[in-house]
Amino acid sequence: MKPSIPRGTRDFGPAEMHKRQYIFDIVKRNFQLFGFSPIETPAMENLDTLTGKYGDEGDKLIFKILDSGEYIEEIRDKNLNLLKKALARSFYKRSNNNSNSPFKFRNSFSTVESRFSSKELTRNISEKALRYDLTVPFARYVVMNQHSLTFPFKRYQIQPVWRADRPQKGRYREFYQCDADIIGSNSLINELELIALMDKTFSDLKIPVLIKLNNRKLLTGIAQYINATDKAMDIAIAIDKMDKIGQIGVENELFSKGFSHEQINKLLEVILIKSDGVRQINNPAKKIENEEVLNFLKTVSDYRSNHILQKGIEELEFLFKNIKTQGLKHVKIELDISLARGLNYYTGTIFEAKANEGTFTPSILGGGRYDDLTGIFGLKNMSGVGISFGIDRIYDVMTELRLFPEKINSISSTQVLFATFGQKEQLHCLKLAKRFREKGINVEIYSNESKIGKQFEYANKKQIPFVCTVGSDEMSLKKYPLKNLETSTQSENPLTISQIIREIKKYHSAK
Amino acid sequence: MKPSIPRGTRDFGPAEMHKRQYIFDIVKRNFQLFGFSPIETPAMENLDTLTGKYGDEGDKLIFKILDSGEYIEEIRDKNLNLLKKALARSFYKRSNNNSNSPFKFRNSFSTVESRFSSKELTRNISEKALRYDLTVPFARYVVMNQHSLTFPFKRYQIQPVWRADRPQKGRYREFYQCDADIIGSNSLINELELIALMDKTFSDLKIPVLIKLNNRKLLTGIAQYINATDKAMDIAIAIDKMDKIGQIGVENELFSKGFSHEQINKLLEVILIKSDGVRQINNPAKKIENEEVLNFLKTVSDYRSNHILQKGIEELEFLFKNIKTQGLKHVKIELDISLARGLNYYTGTIFEAKANEGTFTPSILGGGRYDDLTGIFGLKNMSGVGISFGIDRIYDVMTELRLFPEKINSISSTQVLFATFGQKEQLHCLKLAKRFREKGINVEIYSNESKIGKQFEYANKKQIPFVCTVGSDEMSLKKYPLKNLETSTQSENPLTISQIIREIKKYHSAK
C-alpha cells in the first residue's frame, strides 16, 4: 500500500514546524499583551450547533462525522428502515394498479427517492461535525458558561478548523485560525484595540499589510436605498465574490436572485464609488480619502430617512478619526465599501487584511462585529467583535517575501551530538547527556553503531552546530574533542564537560 | 436551542488552559532537551491508513468522516443504487415465484440486507477518518518522506487524537497525545534515553510515577512455551485486560478464543509469577526483584530451544542493568510480565506509567518498540521505539495531587487594567496602553462605560493584580493612581507612566 494523505491536508516537518511556531509565538504573545485569555473547544461540535450559521454555501463545506459505536450496522439498518417504509407505501400503490412489471417497479424508485429526503438521511447517520471556524464554537461556549464568565469576556483561541473547500494554492481543508474576540461590549473602543493589535502583530511579523474596513450597516443601508431591505444578505454574498467573479459575475448573480437592472445599477454605482461619482474600482492611480467616500454616501437620495446608513457612516467616521489620532505604526488601513465577507453573522464593522507586497496576496486576516451570534443559542444582547489570523496563509506570504529570520531556518534545536565508537561509549554518553540537559542544553546521542563519518553527516544534515566525539581514551581522560561544524574548527585540546557546556552556551548567546 | 457539546468532549476555559499549557511546556522542553524535532500530521487520515493497525476493537473506535462535497446527495444516490441493484435481483426472483403479496415483498428485504454488506456501504460514504493515535500517522509520514529524512529520525508530536470510546472518568473521546519516537535504530540505547526522558519529565512535573516495563518477545516466547505460537496477540489482548476484568475474566476470554485449560493454567502460572513460583499478583507486601522474575522465566521447560524468550529476557536484563548503572532521579521502574498493551504493532520493549499516589491512577504514559510498523506502508527494516504522554490524564492526576504551582492558578495573564470614567478617557488609555505593551506588559482597557466599582470587580474576578484609574484630572496631569488589588494598597501619589511600568515590573520579577 502506497501511503498518502487526504486532498487539501498537509504534513509539517521539523523545518516547517519551527517557522510555524515562530508565527504562533508572535501572535500568541500579542494576544496576551492585549489582555486576551486562552480557551479551547472540541474539534467536534454537534451538527445543530454549526448548521445555518455560515450560509447555504458554508453549510455544504462542513465535514460531518459518522455516528460512532456499532455505526456501520446502525447506518445500514436506519437506511433500510427508511427505505422499507417508503417502498412499502409505493408497493401498495403499485399493487392497486395491478401493474408489477420490473420497469414499473423501478419507476417507483423515483417516488421513493424524492420522499427519502437527504436531510433525513444525514440526520440518521451523523450528529457531529468538525468545527468550521472558531467564532460559532466560541459563541456556544459563552452561552454555556455565561454564569461563570466575567464580561466583557476577551478570549483568544488557536486551533485548526476544517472546510471541505476545493483545495488550491492558499486554500486548505485543514488550517489554523488564531482568533481574538471581545464579547459583551458594543463599544467601538474594542474595534480600535483590535486595529492596534493587528498593527502590532503584523509589525512584529514584518508583513506589509493593507487592512480593509467596512461596516455591514452600510450594506444594509444601501440595500434600503435600492429598495431591497430584505435582501441585504444576498448583496453581501454577491459582492463578496467581486475579486473572484468580477463585476459582470456579481451583476449576473444579483439578477438571478431577483434584483432588477435598475437596482443593480444603483447598487454598483454606490458600491464601486471611490470618488467623484466615477467608477474607479481598478484605478489605483488616484488616492482617494476614506472620508471622501463616506461623504459621497451621504449624498444618496434617501439619506435623511436611512437611519441604518447614517449609523454605519457614523461608526466608520469614529473609527477613522481615532485611527488618525492614535497613529498606526506599520499597517495601512482603508475603507472598502465593497467589502462584505460572506459570513452570515456579521452586523457591524468588518475587517479584512491582505499582504501589500508580493504576487500572492490572499486574505490573511478577517473579522468583524456580530450583534446576536449568541442569540441563536438563547443568550440575547451579547454584541461581540473579533479578528482571526490565518496563519497558514501568513506562512505562505512570509515564505514568498522571505520574512523568516535566519536563526529559525533550522530543522533541529539540538545543540550538540555525541558521536561514539560503540555501545560502551554510548552508555557513557547517557551519563554525560544528563549533565548537559540539567544545564538546559539540547543533546543527542547517535544511537546506531555507525562509522564516525556517518555520524558527522547526520549532524550536518540536521544542522546541529557541535559534535563531541567519544572513544575509550576520552572516557578514561574525561576530556572530549569538540567540533564546531559551522566553522569546521575543532577545539585544540580535548575539553572537560564544564568547558564544553561553557563553549555551547557562549555560542548560543552570541547568536 | 440549548447548546451542548458531544459526549466525551470538553471545553477548556482560561484557568484550565493555563494549567494545561504548564504541562505542555514542560513536556515539550524535555522533548527538545533529548533532541526530538517537532512534526504535525493532519487530523484526517485516509481510512485505509488507519484500519487494521489497532486490532478489531480499535478499528471500531475510529471516527469516520462523511465524504465531502455534494455528499448528501451522493450518499443517497450511492445507497439507492446499491439497493436498486439488490432489489432488482430480488424482484425478478419474486415475480418468477408469482407471489407478490406485501408480506412476501417485505421478506425479500432480508435477502437484500444480507447482500448489502456493511463494508460496501461504509466504503461508499466514508474515505477519511480522524486519527486514533500519533504513531500510525508518524509511520505513514516516515514512509512518505523516507528520502528526505535523516535516520535515525527523532520526532515529537503534540496533537489531539479521537476515539469513540465509552466516556468515563479519565477517558475522553478527544484527548492530546504527546509522543516522542526514534525510528531507524534498533539500539536499546534508545530505550534507555526514553527512560531518562520519562524520569526527567515526571520529575519536572513532580508526579510520583511507577513505570512498568515488559517486552513483547517475552509474551511471544511464553506463547511458544504453551504451544500457542500463532496466538500471541490473543494472549496480549486478553492479559491487557487483567486490571479491568480480573483473572477469571482473562481465563474466560482465553477459553473462548480456543485455549485449553492446560494452556491457560500454564500461561497464568508464568504471567502471574512474581517470585518463588507463587502467584502473588496482588501481594504488595513482598518486594520482588526484577531479576528474580527473569531468572524464574529461565526455568520454563523449553527455555533452551525458545529463542524468542531468550531474546526477550536478554533485552530486559540489559535495560535493568543499565538503568541501575545510570540511576533514576525520580521515577520507579518495575518489570511486569503481565503488561501487554493492546496495540497490534508492538514487537519489543513495552512501557506503561501510572501515578504512584492518590486514588485515581490511570495509565498516564504508554509506549514501546515496533519492528515493522512502516512495513505495511512499503518500507521494511525500520525499527522504532516511542512513548506517549497522556496529558489529559496527567492533568487529572496533578489536579488530585495538587501539583500545579501557585503562580499558574490564575485565569488571566493581564498585569494591569485601565479603569476609566468614559469614552474620552478610554481613547486616552489606548495611547497609554501602547507604551505599556511596547515594554512587554499585558494591558486591558475596560471597554464598557460602567461604574468604577464594576470595573474593579472585573479586575478582581480576573485576578488582575493592578488597576490604574483614569479621569479627566489624571489625563491633564499625566499622572495616574495605581492600586495593587492583592495588597489592597494604592500608590500615595499619582504616578507617571514610567513609574507605573517600573512598579509592575518590580511586582512580577518578585513573583
Side-chain angles (χ1 to χ4, degrees):
Chain A
M1 176 199 162
K2 205 177 140 61
S4 63
I5 51 174
R7 233 159 43 100
T9 69
R10 295 157 298 161
D11 286 321
F12 300 109
E16 289 153 315
M17 284 296 292
H18 287 127
K19 288 185 203 163
R20 288 170 66 86
Q21 207 52 58
Y22 169 78
I23 304 173
F24 282 124
D25 287 347
I26 287 180
V27 171
K28 193 172 153 184
R29 181 74 203 99
N30 277 293
F31 285 168
Q32 288 166 345
L33 282 175
F34 282 76
F36 293 89
S37 298
I39 75 159
E40 279 187 10
T41 62
M44 300 181 219
E45 292 278 349
N46 290 326
L47 199 46
D48 289 347
T49 301
L50 303 186
T51 41
K53 315 301 184 298
Y54 308 107
D56 288 345
E57 306 196 16
D59 277 359
K60 280 189 197 152
L61 303 183
I62 295 173
F63 276 110
K64 277 87 173 175
I65 295 164
L66 277 179
D67 286 350
S68 54
E70 299 298 299
Y71 60 93
I72 297 177
E73 286 71 23
E74 270 173 36
I75 295 162
R76 191 193 51 187
D77 294 350
K78 281 177 183 171
N79 276 292
L80 283 171
N81 283 331
L82 281 172
L83 272 171
K84 267 186 204 177
K85 279 184 204 153
L87 278 171
R89 283 195 298 267
S90 79
F91 174 78
Y92 280 117
K93 209 171 137 198
R94 194 168 47 73
S95 70
N96 292 344
N97 290 351
N98 259 338
S99 72
N100 57 3
S101 75
F103 178 73
K104 275 284 174 190
F105 177 80
R106 276 194 207 107
N107 255 8
S108 73
F109 261 107
S110 22
T111 328
V112 177
E113 274 182 68
S114 60
R115 276 197 212 139
F116 188 53
S117 88
S118 56
K119 227 180 190 169
E120 202 169 1
L121 174 57
T122 338
R123 202 185 310 123
N124 271 280
I125 60 176
S126 170
E127 288 167 340
K128 291 183 287 288
L130 293 178
R131 64 175 164 253
Y132 180 89
D133 74 356
L134 302 178
T135 310
V136 170
F138 169 57
R140 194 263 311 139
Y141 172 86
V142 166
V143 177
M144 281 177 73
N145 295 278
Q146 55 186 288
H147 302 298
S148 61
L149 294 177
T150 311
F151 292 100
F153 179 55
K154 298 176 79 167
R155 83 87 172 77
Y156 76 84
Q157 189 170 353
I158 300 179
Q159 290 190 283
V161 303
W162 295 269
R163 296 184 185 179
D165 241 323
R166 200 141 55 99
Q168 63 188 74
K169 184 173 185 191
R171 186 173 292 169
Y172 308 106
R173 292 188 147 190
E174 172 178 58
F175 57 97
Y176 266 82
Q177 289 192 336
C178 303
D179 281 24
D181 284 78
I182 307 110
I183 197 162
S185 163
N186 54 19
S187 164
L188 290 173
I189 293 293
N190 296 306
E191 270 87 340
L192 292 170
E193 277 276 81
L194 289 175
I195 290 164
L197 169 60
M198 291 185 250
D199 190 32
K200 177 140 184 354
T201 308
F202 286 124
S203 163
D204 289 353
L205 291 169
K206 302 188 173 42
I207 306 175
V209 159
L210 173 68
I211 298 171
K212 291 191 168 190
L213 198 66
N214 195 12
N215 194 306
R216 271 281 168 94
K217 293 189 176 81
L218 230 60
L219 288 173
T220 313
I222 291 167
Q224 189 171 315
Y225 160 65
I226 66 163
N227 287 316
T229 311
D230 51 336
K231 289 184 173 169
M233 200 58 220
D234 285 337
I235 298 175
I237 290 170
I239 66 171
D240 189 42
K241 298 181 191 158
M242 190 71 83
D243 279 358
K244 278 187 228 164
I245 61 178
Q247 186 181 325
I248 306 291
V250 171
E251 287 177 15
N252 289 339
E253 174 160 333
L254 289 169
F255 191 70
S256 76
K257 295 264 179 197
F259 288 79
S260 70
H261 284 299
E262 196 205 333
Q263 282 177 313
I264 296 172
N265 286 338
K266 263 179 103 176
L267 172 71
L268 291 178
E269 196 178 9
V270 177
I271 293 290
L272 302 184
I273 194 65
K274 291 276 154 157
S275 80
D276 310 326
V278 181
R279 295 186 186 189
Q280 299 206 6
I281 191 170
N282 284 319
N283 180 2
K286 186 168 188 298
K287 175 86 196 88
I288 304 131
E289 293 300 323
N290 301 317
E291 288 78 1
E292 286 182 64
V293 180
L294 292 176
N295 286 335
F296 173 81
L297 281 177
K298 290 180 186 168
T299 67
V300 304
S301 56
D302 71 339
Y303 183 67
R304 294 201 174 273
S305 61
N306 196 330
H307 299 295
I308 189 93
L309 183 62
Q310 289 170 22
K311 182 76 178 149
I313 292 172
E314 184 192 306
E315 290 185 8
L316 283 166
E317 281 179 335
F318 176 85
L319 291 184
F320 281 111
K321 185 181 131 209
N322 285 293
I323 291 165
K324 202 170 262 179
T325 322
Q326 300 289 331
L328 289 174
K329 185 177 160 193
H330 179 80
V331 299
K332 290 187 167 51
I333 199 157
E334 183 180 284
L335 173 64
D336 180 353
I337 60 173
S338 75
L339 176 71
R341 298 203 51 81
L343 292 170
N344 251 344
Y345 46 68
Y346 291 131
T347 50
T349 311
I350 39 185
F351 303 105
E352 185 169 273
K354 294 185 178 193
N356 219 356
E357 270 177 29
T359 57
F360 179 63
T361 56
S363 162
I364 53 177
L365 173 143
R369 179 171 286 279
Y370 38 90
D371 277 335
D372 198 27
L373 190 54
T374 59
I376 19 173
F377 300 119
L379 181 65
K380 297 278 173 198
N381 297 321
M382 266 286 164
S383 187
V385 60
I387 54 174
S388 180
F389 290 85
I391 92 106
D392 296 79
R393 287 176 175 179
I394 288 176
Y395 180 97
D396 292 344
V397 166
M398 289 180 67
T399 303
E400 197 204 341
L401 300 179
R402 297 170 185 276
L403 297 176
F404 289 106
E406 191 70 36
K407 73 172 160 52
I408 58 142
N409 282 333
S410 163
I411 58 169
S412 166
S413 61
T414 299
Q415 295 164 288
V416 58
L417 174 79
F418 282 111
T420 69
F421 291 93
Q423 197 182 64
K424 208 171 53 159
E425 287 87 352
Q426 288 173 338
L427 289 168
H428 179 81
C429 289
L430 284 176
K431 285 187 203 165
L432 303 183
K434 193 181 274 185
R435 292 180 55 190
F436 279 71
R437 288 167 183 153
E438 272 159 13
K439 297 287 179 190
I441 294 173
N442 302 343
V443 184
E444 276 186 68
I445 300 160
Y446 190 86
S447 62
N448 279 347
E449 294 180 36
S450 308
K451 293 201 173 128
I452 287 290
K454 192 160 185 197
Q455 301 184 48
F456 271 84
E457 195 191 315
Y458 173 90
N460 259 321
K461 277 194 187 156
K462 286 191 71 178
Q463 301 169 25
I464 299 171
F466 291 100
V467 176
C468 179
T469 314
V470 180
S472 48
D473 289 356
E474 285 81 7
M475 279 170 63
S476 46
L477 274 172
K478 296 193 175 170
K479 287 193 170 184
Y480 315 86
L482 183 73
K483 183 160 183 182
N484 181 327
L485 294 190
E486 248 173 56
T487 59
S488 264
T489 51
Q490 179 141 335
S491 54
E492 261 178 64
N493 301 307
L495 307 174
T496 65
I497 288 303
S498 314
Q499 286 171 325
I500 292 175
I501 291 173
R502 244 190 330 267
E503 275 300 307
I504 294 171
K505 293 224 160 188
K506 202 168 74 188
Y507 169 85
H508 277 276
S509 60
K511 270 232 145 177
Chain B
M1 177 198 160
K2 202 175 143 57
S4 63
I5 50 173
R7 233 161 41 102
T9 68
R10 296 157 297 162
D11 286 321
F12 300 108
E16 289 153 315
M17 283 297 291
H18 287 127
K19 288 184 201 163
R20 287 171 67 84
Q21 207 52 58
Y22 170 77
I23 303 174
F24 283 123
D25 287 346
I26 287 180
V27 171
K28 192 172 152 183
R29 182 73 202 102
N30 278 292
F31 284 168
Q32 289 167 343
L33 282 176
F34 282 77
F36 293 89
S37 297
I39 76 160
E40 278 186 11
T41 63
M44 301 182 218
E45 293 277 348
N46 290 325
L47 200 45
D48 289 347
T49 303
L50 303 185
T51 40
K53 313 302 184 297
Y54 308 107
D56 288 347
E57 305 196 15
D59 276 359
K60 280 190 196 150
L61 304 183
I62 295 172
F63 276 111
K64 276 88 176 174
I65 295 163
L66 277 178
D67 286 350
S68 54
E70 298 299 299
Y71 60 92
I72 296 177
E73 286 70 23
E74 270 173 37
I75 295 162
R76 191 194 51 185
D77 294 347
K78 281 178 185 171
N79 277 291
L80 283 171
N81 283 333
L82 279 175
L83 273 170
K84 265 185 204 177
K85 279 184 204 155
L87 277 170
R89 283 194 297 267
S90 78
F91 172 78
Y92 280 115
K93 207 172 137 198
R94 193 170 49 71
S95 69
N96 292 341
N97 289 352
N98 259 335
S99 72
N100 57 1
S101 75
F103 179 72
K104 276 283 176 189
F105 177 79
R106 274 193 210 108
N107 256 6
S108 75
F109 261 108
S110 20
T111 327
V112 177
E113 274 182 67
S114 59
R115 276 197 212 136
F116 190 52
S117 89
S118 55
K119 231 180 185 167
E120 203 169 0
L121 174 56
T122 339
R123 203 185 309 126
N124 269 281
I125 60 177
S126 170
E127 286 166 344
K128 291 183 286 290
L130 293 178
R131 66 174 163 251
Y132 179 89
D133 72 357
L134 303 178
T135 310
V136 170
F138 169 56
R140 194 261 312 138
Y141 172 85
V142 167
V143 177
M144 282 176 72
N145 296 277
Q146 53 185 289
H147 302 298
S148 61
L149 295 176
T150 310
F151 294 100
F153 181 54
K154 298 176 78 170
R155 83 88 173 76
Y156 76 84
Q157 190 170 354
I158 299 179
Q159 290 190 284
V161 302
W162 295 270
R163 298 185 184 177
D165 242 323
R166 199 141 55 100
Q168 62 188 71
K169 183 171 184 192
R171 185 173 294 171
Y172 308 104
R173 291 188 149 191
E174 172 179 57
F175 58 97
Y176 266 82
Q177 290 192 336
C178 304
D179 281 24
D181 285 77
I182 307 109
I183 198 162
S185 163
N186 55 20
S187 163
L188 291 171
I189 293 293
N190 296 305
E191 268 88 340
L192 292 171
E193 277 276 81
L194 289 175
I195 290 165
L197 169 61
M198 293 186 247
D199 189 33
K200 176 140 187 348
T201 308
F202 287 124
S203 165
D204 289 353
L205 291 169
K206 301 190 173 45
I207 307 174
V209 159
L210 174 67
I211 297 171
K212 291 190 170 192
L213 197 66
N214 195 12
N215 193 304
R216 272 279 169 93
K217 293 190 177 80
L218 232 59
L219 288 172
T220 312
I222 291 166
Q224 190 172 314
Y225 160 64
I226 66 163
N227 288 316
T229 312
D230 52 334
K231 288 182 173 170
M233 201 57 222
D234 286 338
I235 297 175
I237 291 169
I239 66 172
D240 189 45
K241 298 180 190 158
M242 191 71 82
D243 280 0
K244 278 188 225 161
I245 61 178
Q247 188 182 326
I248 306 292
V250 172
E251 288 177 14
N252 288 339
E253 174 160 334
L254 288 169
F255 191 70
S256 76
K257 294 266 180 193
F259 288 80
S260 72
H261 283 300
E262 197 205 331
Q263 284 178 313
I264 295 172
N265 284 340
K266 263 179 102 176
L267 171 71
L268 290 178
E269 196 176 10
V270 178
I271 294 289
L272 302 183
I273 196 62
K274 292 278 155 155
S275 79
D276 307 320
V278 183
R279 294 186 186 192
Q280 298 205 11
I281 192 168
N282 284 320
N283 180 0
K286 188 168 185 300
K287 176 85 194 86
I288 303 133
E289 294 300 324
N290 300 318
E291 288 80 359
E292 285 181 65
V293 180
L294 291 177
N295 285 334
F296 172 81
L297 280 177
K298 290 180 186 169
T299 68
V300 302
S301 57
D302 72 339
Y303 182 66
R304 290 198 177 274
S305 61
N306 197 329
H307 300 295
I308 188 94
L309 183 61
Q310 288 169 22
K311 182 76 178 151
I313 291 173
E314 186 194 306
E315 291 186 7
L316 283 166
E317 280 178 338
F318 176 85
L319 291 185
F320 280 113
K321 186 182 130 208
N322 285 294
I323 291 166
K324 202 170 260 177
T325 322
Q326 300 289 330
L328 289 173
K329 186 177 161 192
H330 179 79
V331 300
K332 289 185 171 51
I333 198 157
E334 184 181 282
L335 173 64
D336 180 354
I337 60 172
S338 76
L339 175 70
R341 297 203 54 80
L343 292 171
N344 253 346
Y345 47 67
Y346 291 132
T347 50
T349 311
I350 40 184
F351 304 105
E352 185 169 274
K354 294 184 178 195
N356 217 356
E357 270 177 31
T359 57
F360 180 62
T361 55
S363 162
I364 53 178
L365 172 143
R369 180 172 284 279
Y370 39 88
D371 278 335
D372 198 28
L373 190 53
T374 59
I376 22 174
F377 300 119
L379 183 62
K380 297 281 174 195
N381 297 319
M382 266 285 164
S383 187
V385 59
I387 54 174
S388 178
F389 289 85
I391 94 108
D392 297 79
R393 286 176 174 178
I394 288 175
Y395 180 98
D396 292 344
V397 166
M398 289 181 66
T399 304
E400 198 205 339
L401 300 178
R402 298 169 184 278
L403 296 177
F404 288 106
E406 192 69 37
K407 71 173 164 49
I408 59 142
N409 284 331
S410 164
I411 57 169
S412 165
S413 60
T414 299
Q415 293 164 289
V416 59
L417 175 79
F418 282 110
T420 70
F421 291 95
Q423 196 181 68
K424 208 171 49 157
E425 288 86 353
Q426 287 173 339
L427 290 169
H428 178 82
C429 289
L430 284 175
K431 285 187 203 165
L432 302 183
K434 192 179 274 186
R435 292 181 56 188
F436 279 73
R437 289 168 182 152
E438 271 159 14
K439 298 287 180 190
I441 293 172
N442 303 342
V443 184
E444 277 184 65
I445 300 160
Y446 191 87
S447 62
N448 279 349
E449 293 180 37
S450 308
K451 292 200 173 131
I452 287 288
K454 193 160 183 197
Q455 301 184 49
F456 271 83
E457 197 191 313
Y458 173 90
N460 260 320
K461 278 196 187 157
K462 285 193 72 178
Q463 302 169 25
I464 298 170
F466 290 98
V467 176
C468 179
T469 315
V470 180
S472 49
D473 288 358
E474 286 81 7
M475 278 170 63
S476 47
L477 273 173
K478 297 196 174 169
K479 288 191 170 187
Y480 315 87
L482 183 73
K483 186 162 183 182
N484 179 328
L485 293 189
E486 248 172 53
T487 57
S488 265
T489 52
Q490 178 142 336
S491 53
E492 259 178 67
N493 301 307
L495 307 174
T496 65
I497 287 303
S498 312
Q499 286 172 324
I500 293 176
I501 290 172
R502 247 194 324 269
E503 276 298 309
I504 294 171
K505 293 226 159 186
K506 203 167 74 187
Y507 168 86
H508 277 276
S509 60
K511 271 230 143 176

